[in-house]
Each structure stands twice: as structure tokens, then as C-alpha cells.
Amino acid sequence: MPNTVNSAITDSVTQANTLVVGEAPATAMGNLMMATSQAIATAGQNLTFGQQQADVVWQAATVQGVNALLNTGEAVTGKVSGQIISRG
């Protein structure tokens, strides 16, 4: 069995290895950028969702406050009306 290898085969293997080694940094940076952009997008979605939920809570609190004010007004008006009627 001969110990020599055809030079075309060694050139082919060398070129394939060089291609893989040459593309590795670009592939790694691409993977990093994809992971980073996905994380940033998810964070943005979470912030938007949180803001929407806060808006719902603030609206509910406002409605409760307005209802409390209106009910207080009716109670005071009812008491005063009752006093006026009783004086009759």
C-alpha cells in the first residue's frame, strides 16, 4: 500500500478545511446577532404588554375614583334633600 496521497485530494481537503475555518467567525457573529436581536425583540414585546396592562389598571382606577365621587355627591344631595323635605 503506497504512503503517498494524490495531490488533488490533499488540495481538496485543504480547501474544504480553509473554507470551514474561514466561515466560522462570520457564522459565529451571525448567530450572536440573531440571538441578540431576538432577545431585544422579546424585551420590547414584554414592555409593550406591560404598558398595556398598566393602562387597563389605570383606567379601572380612574373609573372607580369617578364612581366614588359621583356616589358621594348623590349621598350628600340625598341627605340635604331629606332635610329640606323634613322641614317642609
Side-chain angles (χ1 to χ4, degrees):
M1 185 176 336
N3 289 333
T4 60
V5 178
N6 188 338
S7 64
I9 294 175
T10 57
D11 287 344
S12 175
V13 171
T14 302
Q15 287 177 2
N17 288 341
T18 303
L19 178 68
V20 170
V21 171
E23 288 179 346
T27 303
M29 285 304 295
N31 289 338
L32 174 65
M33 289 180 187
M34 288 298 291
T36 303
S37 65
Q38 185 176 7
I40 291 172
T42 302
Q45 289 174 342
N46 287 339
L47 288 172
T48 302
F49 181 74
Q51 186 176 16
Q52 289 171 344
Q53 295 304 309
D55 288 343
V56 169
V57 170
W58 292 333
Q59 185 177 10
T62 302
V63 168
Q64 288 294 334
V66 169
N67 285 339
L69 290 174
L70 292 176
N71 289 335
T72 301
E74 291 175 1
V76 171
T77 304
K79 184 173 183 178
V80 171
S81 297
Q83 289 174 354
I84 290 173
I85 292 171
S86 67
R87 288 183 192 167

